Amino acid sequence: MTTEVDQASRDTKDVRRVDRVIIRFAGDSGDGMQLTGDRFTSETASLGNDLSTLPNFPAEIRAPAGTLPGVSSFQVHFADHDILTPGDAPNVLVAMNPAALKANLPDVPRGGEIIVNTDEFTSRALAKVGYDSNPLEDGSLDGYSVHPVPLTALTVEALKGFDLTRKEAGRSKNMFALGLLSWMYHRPTEGTEAFLRAKFAKRPEIAEANLTAFRAGWNFGETTEDFAVSYEVAPAASAFPAGVYRNISGNLALAYGLIAAGQRADLPLFLGSYPITPASDVLHELSRHKNFDVRTFQAEDEIAGIGAALGAAFGGALGVTTTSGPGVALKSETIGLAVSLELPLLIVDIQRGGPSTGLPTKTEQADLLQAMYGRNGEAPVPIVAPATPADCFTAALEAARIALTYRTPVFLLSDGYLANGSEPWRVPEVDELPDLRVQFTTAPNHTLADGTEVFWPYKRDPGTLARPWAVPGTPGLEHRIGGIEKQDGTGNISYDPANHEHMVRTRQAKIDGIDVPDLVVDDPSGEATTLVLGWGSTYGPITAAVRRIRRAGGRIAQTHLRHLNPLPANLGDVLRSYDRVLCPEMNLGQLATLLRARYLVDVRSITQVTGLPFKAEQLASAFKEAADDAR
């Protein structure tokens, strides 16, 4: 896009190299902030920066315009080195209206840059969010570097040659802002232009209008005197091992992981699901991949969704159901049935704020105890939790390995932060993926005393305690399934007390015996007395906080759980080898409660239930305070 004239203009402006930047786009939920942030992120990924994102939007489809509950934001942190979080505080805030400014200003540090759409700062809009005076004029923003830009008016002017009303033209102001920020941070533009042409291929006039607004924003940055500085963030070459990379969100990585699991198991993949935030994206993505033997079923409710998935597992498919916490509650009876039937089934819980409907678009880790115990009777289920958005791919493969090897339902606990956030992901080679192929039983597996060969559906593998998996219709292997207790071996209905106790203990022993790797502790000095233990999406903030403490000379150890049931065999020894164990969780201390009960170790909780992820500085302060208190 840059012409000789543009380059001459740029040569007269200061270009500063920085190692990292945090930008937050914020506006009304109809202002296209998620699209704007997503496009900026995609171009940043193509440039080779390491990055992490935090989309944050209202639960309502369309909250009242210009109100605080209606504010939508997208934060992207990108750098020339390895980073782990979307950042604690934005260096740059793009505020499209007074509500966006008021909602996000407390997070902007003094001296930060604020780009404000002045066209929206009308007396009515200011009053709607409780401003008694215009903050652009009353001096309340004197501590910040404020760039007042009439984004709407400039966009309308740029599009005056199009057959659009002022309101229609004004909708492209997010593309004007994207162009301006792309100029400020030297982002590529080709990908966004191709995206807009593809997105509006059936409405070329709209595509051209958005392209024109995007270019106008770029050119505004080039020519205006208000932006005398642009910034360069070099690619993070040293942060990535060699390979092919792409930017990926947690839900997309999870969907790809499920597809890969089906392919590596040589089984059809069946998803039975009911749409629910924030899990619906997995259903949407899997529905696009019939060519990989994927079948998706959007059921009439949560119970039907898991019932269909369990039926598919009985029929020889890799059965999956996706949901969030409220859906898990509805699925609990069928999960118990899957425990009794001992069939492979993946239950993907993308956790969100609760209880009940709670905070549908916000993140939380409060379903751990529900996944562990939320069923009637003794119904143990393995639990796997990814640590980052890209790690959702690997976690899906691991959950499938456990389900197929041990013939059991498996919980995969992601959350809204991982689901919607994104980061670079190295696309693996096929031969790097685990071999998940299973052997169906095709012949009788037991000989009676009289020499008759029969099929016993609950005759177990001595190593894994898994029962055989026989596809319905296999001659001679007819057998009954159901929720009433089974006789060991034969699978016949049994009410015998001794048999019931044997089956309960056998099912528990099967889960306890799952092969999971020992816990690895990151303790470079070998002299730390404080251990920070986390699980799931707290990995990024915890690791960033630990790095800060170590840079300041502190000694602190860190470890992170992927397997929450069963827990690693060496976990007890790890916990007992440190004077203090700190456990940050986005709940009120659920994992800490489990660890205290099992290992009788004083695990100290650091908790947060704001619907937002931890900030690294917040955790670093908490870790330091805990260490200081112990002296």
Side-chain angles (χ1 to χ4, degrees), residues 317-555:
L318 177 56
V320 183
T321 190
T322 52
T323 190
S324 192
V328 173
L330 294 166
K331 295 177 189 290
S332 61
E333 184 179 6
T334 306
I335 297 171
L337 176 60
V339 171
S340 176
L341 300 185
E342 299 188 49
L343 286 169
L345 176 69
L346 302 186
I347 306 115
V348 179
D349 177 6
I350 316 290
Q351 300 167 94
R352 70 189 204 186
S356 188
T357 308
L359 303 174
T361 60
K362 310 302 179 184
T363 195
E364 207 163 271
Q365 289 183 297
D367 295 351
L368 175 57
L369 293 182
Q370 182 185 31
M372 187 76 76
Y373 300 120
R375 294 164 296 284
N376 62 294
E378 296 288 347
V381 175
I383 303 172
V384 174
T388 71
D391 188 46
C392 290
F393 177 87
T394 309
L397 285 163
E398 174 63 2
R401 177 192 73 85
I402 293 172
L404 293 169
T405 303
Y406 297 91
R407 310 287 198 270
T408 177
V410 177
F411 263 104
L412 193 155
L413 289 185
S414 180
D415 61 42
Y417 171 40
L418 296 182
N420 296 316
S422 64
E423 66 178 348
W425 171 60
R426 187 181 71 83
V427 180
E429 299 294 335
V430 173
D431 58 9
E432 296 175 6
L433 303 179
D435 185 348
L436 300 179
R437 286 174 293 182
V438 296
Q439 295 295 323
F440 291 115
T441 300
T442 57
N445 62 355
H446 185 75
T447 303
L448 299 177
D450 62 4
T452 304
E453 292 187 339
V454 297
F455 174 60
W456 275 17
Y458 282 83
K459 186 170 185 176
R460 301 179 183 277
D461 180 284
T464 64
L465 297 182
R467 77 172 186 89
W469 193 4
V471 176
T474 305
L477 305 190
E478 297 84 1
H479 60 286
R480 289 181 292 183
I481 62 170
I484 297 178
E485 186 63 278
K486 310 295 186 297
Q487 184 181 51
D488 184 34
T490 68
N492 295 328
I493 290 174
S494 173
Y495 296 99
D496 178 67
N499 177 79
H500 175 59
E501 175 149 351
H502 172 76
M503 292 295 280
V504 167
R505 293 186 181 278
T506 299
R507 288 189 288 262
Q508 183 64 57
K510 180 174 69 170
I511 305 307
D512 292 341
I514 291 173
D515 180 26
V516 302
D518 277 351
L519 201 59
V520 176
V521 179
D522 175 22
D523 185 1
S525 70
E527 300 176 0
T529 58
T530 299
L531 172 70
V532 182
L533 179 146
W535 68 277
S537 66
T538 57
Y539 173 79
I542 288 174
T543 306
V546 166
R547 287 180 180 179
R548 294 187 186 196
I549 290 177
R550 289 175 180 169
R551 282 197 299 267
R555 295 174 179 173

Side-chain angles (χ1 to χ4, degrees), residues 177-380:
L178 177 59
L180 173 58
L181 269 294
S182 297
W183 173 84
M184 284 182 65
Y185 292 96
H186 297 205
R187 301 296 94 184
T189 59
E190 294 80 5
T192 294
E193 294 200 2
F195 169 83
L196 291 172
R197 289 193 180 95
K199 180 176 177 63
F200 299 107
K202 295 182 179 179
R203 300 191 66 186
E205 72 284 0
I206 299 298
E208 196 57 38
N210 279 283
L211 284 167
T212 300
F214 177 63
R215 292 166 180 159
W218 177 284
N219 292 330
F220 179 77
E222 287 278 9
T223 57
T224 183
E225 295 181 1
D226 192 35
F227 293 92
V229 178
S230 64
Y231 303 88
E232 285 186 350
V233 182
S238 62
F240 304 121
V244 176
Y245 286 82
R246 60 156 295 166
N247 186 51
I248 199 166
S249 69
N251 272 351
L252 183 58
L254 200 154
Y256 286 176
L258 293 173
I259 294 170
Q263 292 292 297
R264 296 298 286 171
D266 198 19
L267 295 174
L269 178 70
F270 180 90
L271 174 69
S273 183
Y274 181 74
I276 184 171
T277 301
S280 299
D281 286 342
V282 181
L283 169 61
H284 299 160
E285 183 61 33
L286 289 179
S287 68
R288 300 186 176 105
H289 296 286
K290 293 187 175 78
N291 55 314
F292 287 112
D293 206 7
V294 176
R295 297 293 178 268
T296 53
F297 169 54
Q298 180 173 316
E300 65 268 28
D301 56 41
E302 296 280 3
I303 297 171
I306 190 173
L310 184 56
F314 178 58
L318 177 56
V320 183
T321 190
T322 52
T323 190
S324 192
V328 173
L330 294 166
K331 295 177 189 290
S332 61
E333 184 179 6
T334 306
I335 297 171
L337 176 60
V339 171
S340 176
L341 300 185
E342 299 188 49
L343 286 169
L345 176 69
L346 302 186
I347 306 115
V348 179
D349 177 6
I350 316 290
Q351 300 167 94
R352 70 189 204 186
S356 188
T357 308
L359 303 174
T361 60
K362 310 302 179 184
T363 195
E364 207 163 271
Q365 289 183 297
D367 295 351
L368 175 57
L369 293 182
Q370 182 185 31
M372 187 76 76
Y373 300 120
R375 294 164 296 284
N376 62 294
E378 296 288 347

Side-chain angles (χ1 to χ4, degrees), residues 50-212:
D50 195 10
L51 63 89
S52 180
T53 68
L54 177 62
N56 190 5
F57 43 87
E60 291 82 2
I61 294 174
R62 187 66 176 88
T67 63
L68 292 174
V71 173
S72 175
S73 68
F74 188 106
Q75 183 162 305
V76 55
H77 180 194
F78 58 103
D80 64 2
H81 58 276
D82 176 35
I83 58 173
L84 298 157
T85 75
D88 289 357
N91 306 114
V92 181
L93 171 65
V94 180
M96 304 297 280
N97 60 18
L101 178 65
K102 188 166 189 177
N104 292 280
L105 186 60
D107 292 337
V108 182
R110 289 286 177 170
E113 292 193 79
I114 302 175
I115 300 173
V116 182
N117 180 17
T118 56
D119 291 324
E120 296 297 323
F121 278 68
T122 64
S123 56
R124 181 180 179 185
L126 291 167
K128 188 179 288 189
V129 294
Y131 275 125
D132 296 326
S133 60
N134 190 337
L136 305 182
E137 301 171 352
D138 63 11
S140 59
L141 300 179
D142 286 350
Y144 305 92
S145 177
V146 180
H147 303 278
V149 181
L151 288 172
T152 305
L154 290 171
T155 303
V156 171
E157 177 65 20
L159 301 183
K160 64 182 180 181
F162 291 82
D163 186 20
L164 298 171
T165 66
R166 179 180 176 85
K167 183 177 181 181
E168 290 170 337
R171 289 175 183 158
S172 296
K173 61 183 179 290
N174 64 321
M175 288 297 103
F176 189 101
L178 177 59
L180 173 58
L181 269 294
S182 297
W183 173 84
M184 284 182 65
Y185 292 96
H186 297 205
R187 301 296 94 184
T189 59
E190 294 80 5
T192 294
E193 294 200 2
F195 169 83
L196 291 172
R197 289 193 180 95
K199 180 176 177 63
F200 299 107
K202 295 182 179 179
R203 300 191 66 186
E205 72 284 0
I206 299 298
E208 196 57 38
N210 279 283
L211 284 167
T212 300

